[in-house]
Amino acid sequence: MHSYVKENKLDLNTIAFKQKEKVIDLLKKRFSTYGYQQIQTPAFESYDLYTTVTGTLKQDDMIKVIDRSGRVLVLRPDITIPITQQVAKQTPQLTEELRYFYVSDVFRNTSQQITDYEQLQAGVEFFGNNGSEADAEILALVEHILSDLQVGTFTIEIGHAGFFKEILDHLSLTPEQTNQFKQLVQAKNIAGLQQFINKLNMNESVQNIVEQIPLLYGNPTTVIQRAKELELPANMKRKLETLEEICSLLEAYQCTERIVLDLGLINHMDYYSDVIFQGFIESIGKPILTGGRYNHLADQFGASIPAIGFAFDIDLLLTLEQQEDPYDTQEIAVFYDPSKRKQAANIAQLFRRNGQSVVLCPLEKVNHFHSNVRYKITLKQTKNLLTTATETIEFHTNQELQEQINRLREGA
Amino acid sequence: MALMTVALAKGRTSNSSIKLLQSAGFHFDDIEDNTRKLVFYDKERKVKLISVKAVDVPTYVEKGAADIGIVGKDNILEAQSDLYELLDLNFGQCKFVVAGLNSSLQQRSRLTVASKYPVVAQNHFQRKGIPIETIKLNGSVELAPLIGMADVIVDIVETGRTLRENGLTVLEELDHISTRLIVNKASFATKTDTIEDFVTKLKKALEG
């Protein structure tokens, strides 16, 4: 939620709203060019859906509602889960590929501020393709959007959810130790990690991998090279090969420059099974988008459907420094003497029919009018004037006015 | 190279931090003990140093207002922020303890804990399965058990002198604390080279 108070003018949030619409528009168009179709999930959902699906959201974070019959509902806390459930229900044996995108609010009470309970997400879900080429295609889409947004330097970090899970399988840790270990890896806290390892009795080659994982960050080719030098177990080797394949496929899209591998990347959503990624923009401290492959989420709904997706955090994106918005200027305003009321309305309709924005304002209220106006039309009792930033022209008929404006437009 | 913002904790450890930055080759103009300035630039204008309250350093870094922070582990643990913690700078050593009067921990069904670090206190006792009520205080925490406002305190101690002089004893030792270098994740992703260069210089200065 944004509100702006402009000089001389209380503008609740029209600028922020226009900016938001512009970003949404851009994303929608880009999603479409990659073959995605828009869908929406219900705002109210059964609470049971989220309590039965494991490894997803904290129950405390969901906003609950009770309906007339006493049933507990939640306000849409996630989008991937209900879409997956729908797809699994309709086509448990999915043979075709499905590409969906959404622009929807999710509701979570993870924040102190009530205005932050509502968070606008825009993302895609791609079902029915388990190949690395699908992963690469998704990552290329992410890169494409970040370039479209023209937000300066950005980086896409790619990791593998299975990598960390695999290491956990080689260690027998208590839940508390697992948590601590996860935090150390996420913080790339090497000093802490070494102390942690020293307390455990660990096989030397596993120990070496654990120590190196957070440091395996950077240029994909270099990271893969360095990872290969470690004595990785067969399962981890395969996962590394998947990442290598994705990165080499990405070269075809010419977007490897913005991509780094982070083998210590862990996503808080447990449903991710393979490649995971997140995107960062220079001046925003948190990931602007997160995503990954979740091949086993559909298992929980009795189907087997490979899937990959991501979501942009639109509200976070809009916290970027607001630039002077070109839309903030009113295109045409007509100020009229009461005797010219009819002509004013005629002029307004004439331009509106052509899709231009016109506002009407009686001359006596001109002091209450504060927007910037590109073409200012003043209908006085005695004469009619057209004023722009540079000149003032007198006109007699509506036809003449239209010609003048067209001429000025072409000049601009 | 891009300008980098470093948030430095005021107080206890700020002198050691500045000394470390100097030996790593970053010299800041008119940075002295009694200055009231909050923003400093190094001579090559590659680093902007902002001086903020220690508890706020993790916030500045997590929000991306600073790329890097230099602050005690105590404040990092309390803030629970999602950050990289790349270096242990080894100075500002102390530890978290549970302290109280001798009888404090005996046979109570519910403890009242006073602390500047309510999150740390809560987490510790939760791990032990002891329900507690926390009272957030901002200073002179040692007073709380003496006047009966709390059963025990969770605080950091260096020498233990304040505790002793107020008749409190250490009942339990928790995490070891020292000053750490923390990094915003987006900054690390988008300015990797600049940040790695900075970290390497500091690391060398520590070893040298």
Side-chain angles (χ1 to χ4, degrees):
Chain A
M1 295 283 268
H2 303 265
S3 74
Y4 293 81
V5 180
K6 278 197 105 181
E7 224 181 331
N8 293 332
K9 176 173 148 193
L10 182 67
D11 181 352
L12 286 177
N13 60 9
T14 60
I15 303 173
F17 193 78
K18 275 176 195 155
Q19 219 133 25
K20 187 164 162 175
E21 288 296 302
K22 226 165 75 178
V23 168
I24 291 171
D25 213 42
L26 187 148
L27 261 67
K28 281 181 171 177
K29 281 189 182 131
R30 186 52 69 212
F31 292 153
S32 311
T33 61
Y34 281 69
Y36 289 84
Q37 314 273 343
Q38 187 167 11
I39 53 158
Q40 200 173 21
T41 67
F44 293 101
E45 286 166 331
S46 151
Y47 179 52
D48 295 342
L49 170 62
Y50 293 94
T51 48
T52 48
V53 175
T54 53
T56 53
L57 294 153
K58 284 193 202 131
Q59 296 179 6
D60 288 351
D61 293 348
M62 292 186 257
I63 298 176
K64 292 123 199 147
V65 183
I66 297 172
D67 75 0
R68 217 160 33 171
S69 60
R71 213 158 33 129
V72 182
L73 305 172
V74 286
L75 276 169
R76 184 198 299 122
D78 184 77
I79 297 168
T80 305
I81 296 167
I83 294 181
T84 306
Q85 189 204 25
Q86 280 296 320
V87 172
K89 210 159 72 182
Q90 281 167 18
T91 47
Q93 305 295 328
L94 187 73
T95 48
E96 54 179 332
E97 289 181 354
L98 298 174
R99 293 177 175 83
Y100 296 130
F101 82 83
Y102 56 82
V103 180
S104 291
D105 281 315
V106 293
F107 303 89
R108 292 176 193 167
N109 60 8
T110 42
S111 160
Q112 298 291 319
Q113 271 107 26
I114 216 169
T115 48
D116 293 340
Y117 285 7
E118 183 183 348
Q119 190 192 53
L120 186 63
Q121 289 195 351
V124 309
E125 312 292 351
F126 182 8
F127 295 97
N129 186 328
N130 192 22
S132 296
E133 67 280 357
D135 298 344
E137 178 89 359
I138 284 271
L139 285 160
L141 171 56
V142 169
E143 200 271 351
H144 211 150
I145 290 168
L146 286 168
S147 307
D148 286 344
L149 287 168
Q150 300 183 316
V151 283
T153 310
F154 64 85
T155 301
I156 303 165
E157 291 180 350
I158 305 179
H160 198 298
F163 228 80
F164 183 73
K165 286 180 187 162
E166 201 65 44
I167 295 177
L168 283 182
D169 287 347
H170 281 84
L171 309 168
S172 39
L173 301 178
T174 64
E176 198 195 313
Q177 282 173 323
T178 305
N179 217 353
Q180 200 186 348
F181 181 45
K182 197 167 167 178
Q183 275 172 16
L184 290 167
V185 174
Q186 274 176 324
K188 298 203 184 297
N189 185 345
I190 306 300
L193 202 55
Q194 266 154 358
Q195 280 171 16
F196 180 81
I197 292 167
N198 288 341
K199 275 188 255 169
L200 301 167
N201 252 333
M202 211 181 271
N203 171 317
E204 201 177 317
S205 77
V206 178
Q207 181 174 335
N208 198 15
I209 297 167
V210 172
E211 278 177 349
Q212 286 300 314
I213 281 265
L215 297 172
L216 291 168
Y217 182 101
N219 173 287
T221 324
T222 325
V223 170
I224 288 167
Q225 193 57 44
R226 273 165 52 204
K228 277 183 175 166
E229 285 162 18
L230 298 170
E231 284 176 52
L232 294 177
N235 274 338
M236 285 177 85
K237 245 184 209 148
R238 262 201 302 282
K239 292 180 168 77
L240 188 68
E241 279 158 17
T242 311
L243 289 179
E244 191 175 11
E245 199 184 338
I246 295 168
C247 289
S248 78
L249 285 166
L250 275 171
E251 277 165 24
Y253 296 90
Q254 295 178 310
C255 59
T256 44
E257 199 186 319
R258 298 291 186 197
I259 283 169
V260 300
L261 275 191
D262 180 6
L263 297 185
L265 184 63
I266 303 170
N267 192 299
H268 66 277
M269 284 292 202
D270 277 345
Y271 56 60
Y272 289 116
S273 57
D274 297 79
V275 63
I276 47 174
F277 50 87
Q278 54 187 22
F280 288 105
I281 292 175
E282 195 169 7
S283 45
I284 295 183
K286 287 186 230 159
I288 201 82
L289 73 103
T290 54
R293 181 166 278 288
Y294 49 98
N295 283 350
H296 304 302
L297 183 58
D299 296 1
Q300 304 204 33
F301 306 111
S304 168
I305 301 169
I308 180 167
F310 66 82
F312 267 88
D313 184 340
I314 302 289
D315 293 322
L316 192 59
L317 192 58
L318 291 168
T319 56
L320 271 182
E321 216 167 289
Q322 309 284 336
Q323 287 156 1
E324 193 57 42
D325 194 301
Y327 291 118
D328 191 31
T329 303
Q330 175 62 42
E331 183 79 1
I332 298 169
V334 184
F335 299 97
Y336 60 92
D337 184 84
S339 65
K340 298 267 181 97
R341 176 94 184 78
K342 197 175 162 211
Q343 192 191 350
N346 280 339
I347 291 174
Q349 297 308 81
L350 179 70
F351 286 103
R352 283 170 181 162
R353 270 196 293 274
N354 293 333
Q356 277 145 18
S357 162
V358 184
V359 292
L360 286 169
C361 178
L363 262 177
E364 74 253 30
K365 288 197 177 155
V366 70
N367 292 336
H368 301 292
F369 195 88
H370 295 298
S371 291
N372 299 319
V373 180
R374 187 161 294 140
Y375 302 107
K376 185 171 160 188
I377 298 161
T378 317
L379 308 178
K380 293 187 184 170
Q381 249 172 343
T382 49
K383 57 180 173 183
N384 305 328
L385 297 173
L386 167 64
T387 316
T388 67
T390 51
E391 55 188 313
T392 302
I393 305 160
E394 192 173 348
F395 66 93
H396 301 283
T397 64
N398 291 355
Q399 168 97 32
E400 207 179 312
L401 171 66
Q402 206 170 11
E403 280 165 15
Q404 288 292 356
I405 288 185
N406 287 343
R407 178 185 65 83
L408 290 167
R409 276 234 176 78
E410 276 156 26
Chain B
M1 235 183 247
L3 180 77
M4 206 172 46
T5 306
V6 179
L8 186 70
K10 274 186 200 172
R12 208 164 57 91
T13 57
S14 76
N15 280 342
S16 315
S17 307
I18 292 165
K19 227 178 271 168
L20 176 69
L21 286 168
Q22 274 168 352
S23 54
F26 300 99
H27 298 276
F28 297 89
D29 290 333
D30 49 61
I31 191 161
E32 45 205 59
D33 289 340
N34 56 358
T35 182
R36 299 238 174 146
K37 273 176 72 174
L38 299 172
V39 183
F40 307 90
Y41 290 90
D42 79 315
K43 291 215 167 76
E44 288 153 38
R45 297 192 83 80
K46 278 184 187 158
V47 181
K48 176 178 165 187
L49 195 73
I50 55 174
S51 175
V52 304
K53 219 174 158 191
V55 285
D56 294 333
V57 173
T59 314
Y60 276 81
V61 178
E62 192 185 27
K63 295 268 174 200
D67 302 302
I68 289 180
I70 296 177
V71 66
K73 180 74 177 173
D74 50 337
N75 290 306
I76 301 171
L77 283 170
E78 180 67 16
Q80 309 246 302
S81 313
D82 187 18
L83 302 159
Y84 290 136
E85 184 183 318
L86 297 187
L87 280 182
D88 185 345
L89 304 179
N90 290 324
F91 54 81
Q93 305 250 8
C94 55
K95 62 190 162 214
F96 267 126
V97 299
V98 179
L101 301 163
N102 266 324
S103 56
S104 293
L105 275 176
Q106 284 166 10
Q107 305 270 318
R108 281 176 198 274
S109 62
R110 191 177 176 85
L111 275 181
T112 307
V113 184
S115 183
K116 280 194 258 184
Y117 306 92
V119 175
V120 172
Q122 189 72 50
N123 286 348
H124 170 68
F125 285 103
Q126 200 169 0
R127 268 199 296 273
K128 296 183 68 174
I130 301 173
I132 64 162
E133 184 190 327
T134 53
I135 299 175
K136 158 92 179 167
L137 292 177
N138 293 302
S140 304
V141 184
E142 296 80 8
L143 198 55
L146 299 180
I147 57 168
M149 184 164 75
D151 300 313
V152 292
I153 61 170
V154 168
D155 205 4
I156 51 169
V157 295
E158 237 165 313
T159 59
R161 190 172 146 214
T162 321
L163 289 181
R164 272 196 306 279
E165 289 186 359
N166 288 291
L168 299 179
T169 44
V170 172
L171 303 170
E172 217 178 329
E173 293 191 354
L174 318 181
D175 302 85
H176 177 83
I177 309 286
S178 58
T179 306
R180 309 293 165 96
L181 181 105
I182 54 177
V183 178
N184 175 280
K185 291 194 171 182
S187 302
F188 190 75
T190 53
K191 305 179 191 170
T192 315
D193 293 344
T194 317
I195 286 170
E196 277 185 342
D197 181 58
F198 183 83
V199 172
T200 314
K201 278 182 183 157
L202 251 61
K203 212 169 167 181
K204 276 202 188 119
L206 276 176
E207 285 158 3

